[in-house]
């Protein structure tokens, strides 16, 4: 039997893959593709009212629950916020992720946009580029960026990929509700996602769509 097409989504924090590509992930898994989400950090520092250890458990549980809704697998790494590059090297993640890429042979990778102002998102972007540079003896996957804190892209001149998520947009919203500890509904207004999905949908004449830019 031929191997299922595999897609990997990289995100700095536990909720980024859902905000950036949740509808697309659900759409791909519905098309029987395999989607794996890599979360680089538990983001334990950003929390004021829970202890670090508990936060890690909570974040992992929430992300796995969201992953179940979108039907993707979620894997965590333990990079400290603000120290991504340093910990990436210290923990030998490059080798580990290279092995993963060699095993899974993904056709597409999704990462944060370089226009995203969050420093950890930027670091995540750079780390995956570096990873691809190190990837040898294998065809390089297509590389796409998604948006979290950069709702509008001014500088991106790269070709856009629009994915029709009309059938799966409700799953994205449901998956976002799994992140209760993040108080996402306060931090990240859902109407913004809705607005963006409608605008992107209009571009390809569907109700809802997600847009990505192909940078490689
Ligand atoms: Zn994030």
């Amino acid at each position: 039997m031929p191997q299922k097409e595999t897609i990997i989504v990289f995100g700095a924090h536990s909720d980024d893959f859902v905000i950036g590509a949740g509808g697309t992930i659900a759409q791909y898994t519905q098309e029987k593709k395999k989607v794996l989400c890599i979360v680089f950090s538990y983001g334990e520092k950003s929390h004021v009212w829970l202890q670090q250890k508990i936060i890690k458990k909570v974040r992992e549980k929430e992300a796995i629950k969201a992953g179940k809704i979108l039907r993707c697998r979620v894997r965590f790494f333990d990079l400290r916020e603000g120290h991504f590059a340093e910990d990436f090297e210290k923990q030998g993640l490059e080798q580990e992720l290279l092995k993963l890429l060699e095993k899974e042979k993904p056709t597409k990778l999704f990462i944060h946009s370089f226009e995203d102002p969050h420093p950890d998102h930027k670091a995540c972007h750079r780390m995956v580029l570096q990873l691809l540079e190190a990837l040898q003896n294998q065809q390089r996957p297509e590389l796409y960026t998604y948006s979290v804190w950069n709702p509008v892209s001014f500088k991106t001149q790269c070709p856009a990929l629009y994915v029709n998520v009309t059938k799966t947009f409700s799953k994205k919203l449901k998956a976002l509700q799994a992140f209760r500890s993040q108080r996402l509904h306060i931090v990240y207004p859902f109407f913004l996602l809705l607005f963006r999905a409608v605008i992107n949908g209009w571009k390809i004449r569907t109700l809802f769509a997600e847009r990505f830019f192909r940078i490689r």
Side-chain angles (χ1 to χ4, degrees):
M1 222 170 72
Q3 201 183 347
K4 265 190 189 181
E5 183 179 348
T6 301
I7 289 113
I8 302 183
V9 183
F10 293 91
H13 309 105
S14 60
D15 51 352
D16 289 329
F17 68 95
V18 186
I19 294 175
T24 299
I25 293 169
Q27 180 59 36
Y28 282 162
T29 56
Q30 223 168 66
E31 293 167 9
K32 308 275 180 242
K33 293 169 184 165
K34 176 176 166 186
V35 181
L36 178 59
C37 298
I38 303 285
V39 176
F40 280 118
S41 173
Y42 290 98
E44 69 271 24
K45 253 207 244 156
S46 60
H47 221 291
V48 283
W49 50 280
L50 280 176
Q51 279 185 337
Q52 287 197 8
K53 244 195 201 158
I54 301 171
I55 292 162
K56 285 188 183 180
K57 279 244 160 24
V58 170
R59 290 273 156 92
E60 197 157 15
K61 238 176 139 177
E62 290 172 343
I64 286 167
K65 190 176 170 194
K68 271 199 181 132
I69 294 166
L70 306 176
R71 296 207 183 145
C72 61
R73 263 168 52 207
V74 184
R75 184 165 165 196
F76 272 84
F77 288 107
D78 199 2
L79 304 185
R80 289 167 303 150
E81 290 182 288
H83 298 272
F84 269 35
E86 184 191 335
D87 287 1
F88 188 75
E89 196 157 337
K90 236 195 265 169
Q91 295 182 21
L93 285 197
E94 182 167 299
Q95 281 313 311
E96 196 169 338
L97 286 171
L98 280 175
K99 266 188 208 149
L100 180 84
L101 291 180
E102 277 160 22
K103 180 174 162 250
E104 299 288 346
K105 298 187 179 46
T107 53
K108 292 186 178 75
L109 303 183
F110 289 86
I111 60 172
H112 288 283
S113 166
F114 50 81
E115 289 188 276
D116 194 314
H118 193 301
D120 288 340
H121 293 186
K122 274 192 195 306
C124 174
H125 177 94
R126 280 194 300 268
M127 277 156 29
V128 176
L129 284 188
Q130 191 188 317
L131 196 66
L132 282 187
E133 290 300 322
L135 189 67
Q136 283 166 359
N137 314 321
Q138 183 177 338
Q139 207 181 352
R140 289 200 179 138
E142 295 171 4
L143 186 59
Y144 295 91
T145 60
Y146 61 80
S147 304
V148 175
W149 293 116
N150 56 316
V152 189
S153 293
F154 298 105
K155 286 179 258 172
T156 309
Q157 302 292 327
C158 304
L161 165 72
Y162 287 89
V163 178
N164 180 357
V165 297
T166 305
K167 282 191 204 147
T168 55
F169 192 69
S170 61
K171 280 195 177 174
K172 173 175 180 156
L173 295 181
K174 201 173 158 206
L176 282 171
Q177 282 162 18
F179 296 96
R180 299 178 76 174
S181 79
Q182 315 267 55
R183 301 179 170 189
L184 255 190
H185 55 289
I186 300 166
V187 182
Y188 202 96
F190 284 9
F191 74 83
L192 192 69
L193 288 172
L194 186 70
F195 178 70
R196 220 190 279 178
V198 169
I199 298 284
N200 290 333
W202 181 75
K203 279 271 188 187
I204 56 165
R205 306 279 182 270
T206 62
L207 195 52
F208 300 124
E210 283 175 341
R211 182 189 60 181
F212 310 95
F213 289 105
R214 183 172 177 187
I215 59 165
R216 290 266 164 109

